[in-house]
Amino acid sequence: HDICSPLSALEMVKYMSLDKLEEQEKKMFELSIRRIKDITSKLIERYRGKGVVSKEEKKEEGYIMPSSVKEIIESMRYRYQEREIRFEFKEEEREKFVFIRGEWSEFSRMITNVIKNGVEALEGGGEIEVREVVKGEEVEIRVKDNGKGMSKEMVEKIERGEEVGTTKKEGHGIGMGQIKGTIKGMKGKIEIESREGEGTEFILRFPKVERPRWFEDKIEIKKGEEVVILDDELLVHEVWREKLKGYEKEIRIKYFTEGIEALKYLNTVEKKEKVFLITDYELRKQEITGINVIEKSGMKERHIMVTNAYLADIKDFNEKSEYIKIFPKMYIDYIRVILDRD
């Protein structure tokens, strides 16, 4: 509870100052606040339940895109910018949008702990490489460092589940309990490959699941139709202008930064079936969200919500997932625009 008070102040700062930050800084700020909230919530749960979380308190598992690890890499790069550490994230283009099941807060803490282990193993500078690999029905996340490496005895100790602490000599051990607990809860596996003097690679494997019904990676429009784009960031408008370049003579495009204005316009349109709505979820300093606009404008059938918001932060998402369509904003360049010219 002592943490919650200054955290509330930080959230106020977020809403007051976020529009003054660069996109990357803003994302790091939001990610950090979210992680503190998740950790604080778990501490309170443990205190109340003496270490046992009831079924009512336990968060429901959701869908996780392993490629979201990219966000964590960016936050680590920002955090260690004063050290000579190169962070690199690699993913397979053809399998960019795969999903696994788990709780995002625990998953992100786990990945962060694995990466921090790698950082601890580096003397001064070095490299941390994170790769996402899909093999059959499994998704691998491989975190490799070129640090000091670990002895065979240390690796075996970790694999047996014995408690280990960070040592100056080997540099690994931080958060291993949380890492192994999360992997077990997600029905995953962990493998460690290490050579002293060369580095260590953590290989995390998770079962792949089918795409959720709310995920949509395409926009289908016909010649002569209209696209309405709602986002409070003008920079995002420029991204869409670039993406829709060449279509301007075949479709009409309208841009809005204010949710209320977009809603007023959409409610004047008689033929909603000839309009496609692209909207963000969170509209800063506005008393309306992208979902409100979708619902109140009658655009449930023809929309896509392109957002950086986490599902857990979307109000009443479970009740709305029957019709809502979502695509991650960080991959906006990969969304498909399908124009039917017939």
Side-chain angles (χ1 to χ4, degrees):
H1 285 290
D2 288 337
I3 297 172
C4 289
S5 180
L7 185 58
S8 297
L10 281 174
E11 290 201 288
M12 287 298 296
V13 172
K14 181 182 92 168
Y15 288 110
M16 291 167 59
S17 308
L18 227 52
D19 55 343
K20 299 177 183 178
L21 299 177
E22 296 293 332
E23 180 67 22
Q24 191 55 50
E25 293 174 331
K26 180 179 71 174
K27 193 62 187 173
M28 296 310 99
F29 197 84
E30 291 179 325
L31 183 63
S32 298
I33 287 180
R34 179 181 175 83
R35 290 194 62 231
I36 295 171
K37 287 175 69 176
D38 287 334
I39 293 169
T40 304
S41 175
K42 288 193 175 296
L43 285 171
I44 292 172
E45 287 175 355
R46 284 183 176 274
Y47 177 78
R48 288 174 176 166
K50 296 181 180 178
V52 179
V53 181
S54 68
K55 289 183 179 179
E56 290 74 24
E57 291 177 309
K58 186 175 181 181
K59 291 184 180 179
E60 182 180 354
E61 283 194 344
Y63 291 91
I64 297 171
M65 291 177 64
S67 52
S68 297
V69 170
K70 185 177 180 180
E71 295 179 50
I72 301 170
I73 302 294
E74 290 299 324
S75 70
M76 300 300 279
R77 186 178 288 129
Y78 194 78
R79 175 177 177 178
Y80 294 106
Q81 59 184 310
E82 294 183 0
R83 291 183 58 180
E84 294 182 359
I85 300 176
R86 187 170 70 89
F87 293 92
E88 188 172 4
F89 178 65
K90 297 180 179 180
E91 60 189 332
E92 296 177 324
E93 191 69 36
R94 62 186 178 82
E95 296 283 4
K96 187 176 291 293
F97 304 121
V98 296
F99 290 84
I100 57 179
R101 291 283 288 184
E103 187 183 327
W104 166 252
S105 62
E106 286 298 296
F107 176 79
S108 62
R109 282 181 64 201
M110 173 193 66
I111 297 298
T112 300
N113 280 330
V114 174
I115 295 172
K116 282 169 64 179
N117 269 310
V119 171
E120 288 291 322
L122 300 175
E123 282 189 330
E127 297 181 3
I128 303 287
E129 180 188 275
V130 182
R131 285 194 296 149
E132 176 197 329
V133 183
V134 179
K135 291 186 176 180
E137 295 305 308
E138 283 191 329
V139 179
E140 285 185 358
I141 297 175
R142 307 175 75 105
V143 182
K144 185 177 182 179
D145 67 69
N146 64 346
K148 298 178 181 180
M150 293 189 286
S151 64
K152 183 179 179 182
E153 291 73 25
M154 174 67 85
V155 172
E156 290 176 348
K157 193 174 182 180
I158 293 173
E159 290 178 340
R160 288 196 299 269
E162 296 179 23
E163 187 173 340
V164 293
T166 302
T167 66
K168 296 274 186 184
K169 181 181 177 183
E170 296 179 309
H172 284 273
I174 292 178
M176 283 308 305
Q178 191 274 336
I179 292 168
K180 297 199 76 173
T182 300
I183 290 172
K184 182 179 179 181
M186 293 177 65
K187 299 180 174 58
K189 305 168 190 171
I190 182 171
E191 183 181 335
I192 303 170
E193 296 179 356
S194 188
R195 288 177 178 271
E196 289 189 88
E198 296 182 18
T200 301
E201 183 169 27
F202 282 77
I203 305 164
L204 316 177
R205 296 187 177 94
F206 305 96
K208 185 174 71 172
V209 298
E210 290 185 12
R211 283 187 180 189
R213 60 188 172 193
W214 46 260
F215 181 82
E216 184 61 78
D217 65 351
K218 62 181 181 296
I219 298 169
E220 295 184 84
I221 45 182
K222 293 182 179 180
K223 185 176 179 180
E225 292 185 346
E226 185 172 55
V227 175
V228 172
I229 297 173
L230 169 61
D231 199 293
D232 57 357
E233 295 183 61
L234 293 176
L235 182 61
V236 176
H237 290 194
E238 292 305 313
V239 173
W240 282 113
R241 282 191 176 92
E242 183 64 28
K243 191 161 189 65
L244 296 172
K245 187 184 291 184
Y247 295 151
E248 299 96 330
K249 293 181 180 180
E250 300 176 274
I251 60 175
R252 298 185 304 279
I253 308 170
K254 292 190 73 71
Y255 295 89
F256 293 90
T257 56
E258 297 291 325
I260 292 296
E261 293 303 313
L263 181 58
K264 285 180 181 177
Y265 174 75
L266 288 167
N267 282 334
T268 66
V269 175
E270 294 183 4
K271 296 182 178 181
K272 299 287 176 64
E273 70 275 8
K274 293 190 177 295
V275 177
F276 194 96
L277 171 64
I278 302 171
T279 181
D280 194 2
Y281 169 70
E282 187 177 32
L283 304 170
R284 294 195 306 274
K285 298 181 182 179
Q286 300 183 39
E287 296 180 359
I288 193 170
T289 67
I291 285 186
N292 297 145
V293 175
I294 293 167
E295 291 177 326
K296 294 179 180 180
S297 64
M299 296 299 296
K300 290 183 179 181
E301 298 298 321
R302 303 206 71 206
H303 78 271
I304 186 169
M305 198 160 70
V306 182
T307 178
N308 278 328
Y310 298 101
L311 297 185
D313 294 332
I314 297 177
K315 189 177 180 182
D316 302 324
F317 173 75
N318 289 335
E319 290 78 6
K320 303 175 190 300
S321 62
E322 289 286 339
Y323 65 85
I324 214 75
K325 298 295 181 184
I326 300 177
F327 185 83
K329 187 182 283 188
M330 68 175 176
Y331 286 120
I332 193 170
D333 288 342
Y334 297 98
I335 197 166
R336 294 178 292 156
V337 178
I338 302 172
L339 179 63
D340 184 355
R341 292 182 167 90
D342 294 337

